[in-house]
Amino acid sequence: MAALKAVIIALSLLVVAIIYSDIVEDEEETYFQESATSPSTGTGLENLMLGQLLTGDSGSFESPNFPTTDHKLDYVWLIQADKTKNIRLVLVEFDTEMGSDYFLVHDGPSTEHPVILVHSGNSIPPPIRSTGHELLIRFVTNNKVTSRGFQANYFAVPLCFNSVYSSSGLITSSNYPSSYDCNMRCDWLISVGQSEKILMEFLDVNTEGDYDIIQIYDGDSDLAPFLNRISGDHRDEVILTTSTSNVALIRFITDKSVSKTGFAMKFTAGNPVDLVQYFMKEYSNSDLTKNLYDVTENIVQMLANVTSTE
Ligand SMILES: [Ca+2]
């Protein structure tokens, strides 16, 4: 415990010393201006950075004295999971003074790590994930209005990598059709028979446009040729993509705020003729004509090849 206390005191000194200069969002600016002045006023310092180390596969924590909040708090919690895991943080209660009392999450063990959530008010933010095995949570209140505070749960979750060996299947984003996690990178590597290609049908896509992005690569890594990038609301159409190899990597990257229902993608493996026949059967009379705009070069090429041999 003495060691932990020392770490926390060191952290607190670090925090006070750090100048938050590269934060751009409005909400964050307000927080950081206030935070930069509060500790130097010389009042409330006795409450600065009392904290807790949280370990294990899951657990809960809450703001001090929940469901009431004290003035002039500055608390940190450090969550450490097994090194092979990420941490999923889920707020279950949230009520702080809007624009003044802040809940912050750093994607790593110290305040030098990127801030992946800054939140205040009475809405519950979406669940977020660490990219490593540690998260630092900080809760700062001012000397004015108080509210209820927060309650949070955390879970150690496997790194988000999925190997799929199957000739067909359905892939969905985490929690689908409920909201996906923020600050997440999830990979699916689809491998099929040597001479086969993969037809991917994105039947339902609803992500935060330009911020939460599905990337598709024509091979087993992000060094492979890029096939497609999908983002935004595409619930009324089907987006098709095909691989030219027998392996495809689907990567879903989400940013630190706003989550939607995510995506559902059906994939089918086959030789090009089989895939074109499947495509004609499924889509030639389809009302989802918009999908024709999204047919990739590969499908167009496949159609051309089949037509020319008829
Ligand atoms: Ca987002």
Side-chain angles (χ1 to χ4, degrees):
M1 280 314 285
L4 174 60
K5 217 167 184 176
V7 167
I8 287 160
I9 290 167
L11 274 173
S12 73
L13 294 173
L14 192 62
V15 168
V16 174
I18 280 172
I19 299 164
Y20 296 93
S21 58
D22 54 355
I23 303 297
V24 291
E25 294 186 7
D26 291 341
E27 190 180 48
E28 290 169 351
E29 255 171 34
T30 313
Y31 158 72
F32 287 114
Q33 283 160 6
E34 182 150 331
S35 151
T37 55
S38 294
S40 63
T41 59
T43 57
L45 283 174
E46 66 277 7
N47 289 330
L48 195 67
M49 289 307 204
L50 305 169
Q52 218 182 334
L53 177 66
L54 303 163
T55 57
D57 272 353
S58 67
S60 306
F61 60 103
E62 58 190 26
S63 46
N65 299 327
F66 182 88
T68 60
T69 310
D70 292 337
H71 299 313
K72 287 267 175 199
L73 293 179
D74 197 343
Y75 265 70
V76 289
W77 292 260
L78 178 60
I79 307 178
Q80 283 183 327
D82 185 276
K83 282 193 174 129
T84 62
K85 292 183 175 171
N86 294 151
I87 298 160
R88 181 164 192 254
L89 182 69
V90 181
L91 273 300
V92 289
E93 291 282 342
F94 198 94
D95 177 29
T96 74
E97 187 190 357
M98 184 72 156
S100 294
D101 296 344
Y102 281 96
F103 182 90
L104 295 100
V105 181
H106 292 269
D107 192 14
S110 82
T111 52
E112 289 184 317
H113 288 82
V115 174
I116 54 173
L117 178 69
V118 180
H119 198 67
S120 71
N122 55 19
S123 65
I124 294 183
I128 55 172
R129 257 179 208 255
S130 61
T131 53
H133 71 288
E134 294 169 304
L135 278 181
L136 186 80
I137 288 99
R138 186 175 177 198
F139 184 55
V140 188
T141 67
N142 70 357
N143 58 359
K144 294 184 295 220
V145 181
T146 62
S147 34
R148 298 176 67 235
F150 73 87
Q151 288 186 307
N153 297 327
Y154 66 92
F155 309 89
V157 293
L159 299 176
C160 199
F161 180 83
N162 309 276
S163 285
V164 182
Y165 297 94
S166 176
S167 59
S168 66
L170 186 73
I171 286 173
T172 60
S173 49
S174 62
N175 319 319
Y176 180 88
S178 295
S179 300
Y180 50 76
D181 293 349
C182 287
N183 193 52
M184 179 189 65
R185 191 182 96 173
C186 244
D187 284 354
W188 292 263
L189 186 62
I190 304 174
S191 307
V192 300
Q194 198 92 57
S195 62
E196 294 179 323
K197 319 293 179 202
I198 305 161
L199 172 63
M200 290 162 263
E201 298 163 82
F202 287 86
L203 305 172
D204 182 25
V205 175
N206 183 25
T207 76
E208 186 192 10
D210 296 329
Y211 293 97
D212 302 332
I213 299 162
I214 303 162
Q215 296 172 339
I216 305 154
Y217 297 91
D218 199 11
D220 64 359
S221 80
D222 54 12
L223 300 176
F226 191 67
L227 280 175
N228 207 348
R229 173 191 189 278
I230 305 170
S231 182
D233 185 348
H234 302 278
R235 283 175 288 185
D236 61 347
E237 60 190 311
V238 176
I239 298 173
L240 298 172
T241 297
T242 60
S243 67
T244 67
S245 72
N246 67 326
V247 180
L249 174 69
I250 290 88
R251 174 165 293 168
F252 185 41
I253 299 174
T254 66
D255 74 347
K256 65 185 179 182
S257 66
V258 183
S259 84
K260 306 215 169 189
T261 51
F263 72 89
M265 184 272 275
K266 180 183 170 190
F267 68 91
T268 308
N271 65 51
V273 173
D274 291 342
L275 290 183
V276 169
Q277 281 172 352
Y278 172 87
F279 170 78
M280 299 301 273
K281 181 167 151 282
E282 292 289 313
Y283 292 102
S284 59
N285 296 316
S286 171
D287 288 335
L288 297 163
T289 47
K290 273 202 272 178
N291 72 65
L292 294 176
Y293 297 109
D294 296 299
V295 172
T296 62
E297 287 287 308
N298 302 324
I299 276 280
V300 172
Q301 194 58 50
M302 282 186 203
L303 285 167
N305 289 344
V306 169
T307 310
S308 66
T309 56
E310 275 173 1

